Amino acid sequence: MRSIQSDTAGGSGGSSPRGNTERVLVVEDEPALLRALEINLRARGYQVSSSATGETALAEAARRPPDAVLLDLGLPDMDGSDVIRRLRTWTAVPVLVLSGRAGSGDKIGALDAGADDYVTKPFSMEELLARLRALLRRDAQPSSRQVFTIGHCTIDLVSRSVTRHDGDAEPVRLTRTEWRMLEILLRSPGQLVSASRLLSELWGPGTEDRTYYLRFHMAGLRRKLEEDPPRPKHLLTEPGMGYRYQP
Ligand code: CA
């Protein structure tokens, strides 16, 4: 039981009763349309960032990961589908395409690149907002948000991608076994995962004495993900017990 106080200073937790707190990144080079989108989204309580080019949009998405992206396909510096492909190397954020083109080929190309939905210009603002709400609802399902951070790396279990934010362009690639091991650990944040459980999940029963397998693959994960691999802060060893992901 907990008492309910009339204290208005807050601290009750939960989200604001009015408006959204979701951040939407709008990528559109047509000033009038961009302005209309910004006004309508802000009026409904969304936080809005906007970009008029693909490159600035990608930089903004990396700097402040949005909850959804509205993306014009015809941008001055690059094709919208290429923006999606580059986003998909590190994030599963919902992407709603604003297509101004007559043919269906570009929309199919955008969906193939990883877009989630599209509206064709000229679209009704109500339709666009309804599509956006649907995408955000879908993304709010507990099992679908699967992005974690280790050091300078963001790990997306859906797209199985790692993106690094330390300015180094060298991509991080994990092996199949590293992914499976990492996923088991990330799904139990802060909790000890025993060596025997990891071994039996990864290599099947009867492998519990092969803890050197785990040491080998854990060394690989730390080398790729930890800022200071010999002194890991997130992928921790519990001597004689197992491993722990410390968020
Ligand atoms: Ca355009």
Side-chain angles (χ1 to χ4, degrees):
M1 289 287 275
R2 81 190 166 90
S3 63
I4 308 229
Q5 299 175 355
S6 57
D7 179 9
T8 54
S12 59
S15 56
S16 158
R18 64 173 60 188
N20 308 286
T21 53
E22 290 113 330
R23 177 190 304 281
V24 179
L25 172 59
V26 183
V27 192
E28 170 61 65
D29 62 317
E30 194 183 314
L33 180 53
L34 178 58
R35 180 101 184 100
L37 288 165
E38 286 173 338
I39 289 169
N40 276 279
L41 290 166
R42 290 206 174 105
R44 283 156 183 86
Y46 294 103
Q47 294 179 50
V48 183
S49 343
S50 48
S51 296
T53 67
E55 285 297 345
T56 56
L58 288 164
E60 172 67 11
R63 195 165 66 85
R64 289 193 297 177
D67 297 300
V69 178
L70 302 185
L71 175 69
D72 177 29
L73 283 189
L75 296 169
D77 61 331
M78 61 197 290
D79 193 274
S81 292
D82 291 328
V83 176
I84 299 167
R85 266 186 281 277
R86 285 174 58 184
L87 281 173
R88 285 291 173 259
T89 63
W90 67 275
T91 175
V93 64
V95 175
L96 176 58
V97 160
L98 317 175
S99 170
R101 300 177 188 181
S104 60
D106 291 310
K107 280 175 236 166
I108 293 168
L111 292 171
D112 283 345
D116 297 278
D117 201 355
Y118 64 86
V119 293
T120 304
K121 296 179 188 175
F123 50 81
S124 93
M125 197 58 74
E126 288 311 316
E127 181 190 358
L128 176 133
L129 292 166
R131 299 282 186 90
L132 175 63
R133 282 195 300 274
L135 287 179
L136 288 166
R137 262 200 309 276
R138 186 209 65 183
D139 202 48
Q141 303 299 316
S143 61
S144 67
R145 184 162 283 287
Q146 308 194 68
V147 177
F148 301 84
T149 301
I150 292 180
H152 291 310
C153 294
T154 301
I155 295 142
D156 187 328
L157 293 178
V158 175
S159 59
R160 289 222 161 180
S161 61
V162 178
T163 186
R164 52 198 298 172
H165 305 288
D166 57 359
D168 192 330
E170 185 72 20
V172 177
R173 299 199 193 286
L174 304 184
T175 66
R176 203 176 132 74
T177 301
E178 286 170 347
W179 270 118
R180 292 174 63 206
M181 187 166 168
L182 183 62
E183 182 164 7
I184 294 168
L185 292 169
L186 294 181
R187 296 224 181 275
S188 302
Q191 296 173 36
L192 171 71
V193 179
S194 70
S196 58
R197 182 186 149 197
L198 282 167
L199 284 162
S200 71
E201 286 208 26
L202 293 171
W203 287 281
T207 58
E208 288 79 3
D209 58 342
R210 301 183 198 178
T211 51
Y212 57 91
Y213 282 14
L214 297 178
R215 285 197 296 277
F216 175 82
H217 292 287
M218 178 54 79
L221 283 170
R222 286 179 179 144
R223 194 172 61 248
K224 294 172 184 179
L225 299 174
E226 287 275 4
E227 288 182 54
D228 185 7
R231 280 170 290 279
K233 289 187 181 148
H234 303 281
L235 299 173
L236 307 180
T237 299
E238 295 287 342
M241 302 286 289
Y243 297 89
R244 186 190 305 270
Y245 162 56
Q246 189 63 49

